[in-house]
């Protein structure tokens, strides 16, 4: 991922989506509360970050609203991607994660593989560990530049 504001935003969204997806699978009051707290904290932090980089007070609300809409769009696309065939997730990644630049198919495939591995890893983690706030993601495998 490019080390840009958009790249960082997309990586936060991607990992928050994976944790949220796992918490939703628990379907308990505690998991629902934790999922909401994760969402609230993430967007509160984004609000603070925008202010720190100098976005004016009048613009912050509009930008956070746009970020929330992007979040909901991405989680819908990634959910469908994980439930769909082998082409659905890479297509969603190309549209969202890599919308701003050229990308090799190998890069998209590597990220899609990572997302599937992370989803499976989170599904296998005990609920009590997750509900205590301990989340373990697998190590991402770098792609070879080409």
């Amino acid at each position: 991922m490019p080390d840009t504001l958009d790249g960082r935003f997309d990586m936060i969204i991607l990992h928050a989506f994976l944790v949220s997806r796992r918490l939703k699978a628990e379907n308990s009051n505690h998991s629902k509360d934790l999922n909401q707290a994760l969402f609230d904290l993430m967007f509160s932090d984004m609000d603070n970050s925008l202010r720190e980089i100098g976005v004016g007070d009048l613009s912050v609300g509009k930008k956070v609203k746009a970020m929330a809409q992007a979040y909901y769009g991405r989680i819908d696309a990634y959910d469908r991607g994980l439930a769909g065939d082998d082409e659905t997730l890479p297509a969603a990644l190309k549209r969202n994660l890599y919308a701003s630049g050229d990308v090799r198919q190998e890069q998209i495939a590597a990220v899609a593989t990572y997302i599937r591995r992370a989803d499976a890893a989170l599904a296998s983690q005990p609920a009590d560990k997750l509900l205590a706030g301990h989340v373990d993601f697998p190590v991402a495998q770098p792609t070879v530049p080409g």
Side-chain angles (χ1 to χ4, degrees):
M1 298 283 49
D3 188 11
T4 62
L5 190 60
D6 287 341
R8 289 177 183 203
F9 171 76
D10 275 312
M11 293 315 308
I12 291 167
I13 293 297
L14 176 61
H15 288 86
F17 154 73
L18 289 165
V19 173
S20 177
R21 180 177 162 89
R22 175 60 174 93
L23 289 171
K24 286 177 186 174
E26 280 307 304
N27 198 28
S28 70
N29 287 336
H30 186 55
S31 66
K32 289 176 186 175
D33 291 345
L34 185 58
N35 197 19
Q36 184 63 52
L38 171 64
F39 178 87
D40 293 345
L41 179 63
M42 180 174 59
F43 281 95
S44 174
D45 184 64
M46 288 180 191
D47 181 289
N48 290 336
S49 294
L50 288 170
R51 292 174 194 282
E52 285 178 12
I53 63 171
V55 175
D57 287 342
L58 297 176
S59 298
V60 169
K62 291 176 187 175
K63 290 194 180 291
V64 170
K65 183 178 179 179
M67 292 171 141
Q69 289 172 333
Y71 173 75
Y72 286 119
R74 282 165 174 74
I75 64 170
D76 181 55
Y78 298 154
D79 257 336
R80 283 185 281 116
L82 285 171
D85 60 32
D86 288 342
E87 295 305 315
T88 305
L89 184 57
L93 292 171
K94 185 167 175 125
R95 258 189 337 271
N96 294 298
L97 209 53
Y98 293 105
S100 63
D102 292 328
V103 62
R104 294 185 337 268
Q105 284 304 116
E106 296 83 18
Q107 290 171 292
I108 295 171
V111 175
T113 297
Y114 169 77
I115 291 170
R116 291 189 187 285
R117 283 185 26 245
D119 188 53
L122 288 170
S124 71
Q125 291 176 29
D128 59 336
K129 183 178 174 186
L130 290 167
L131 296 174
H134 302 284
V135 178
D136 293 318
F137 288 101
V139 175
Q141 302 298 318
T143 57
V144 179

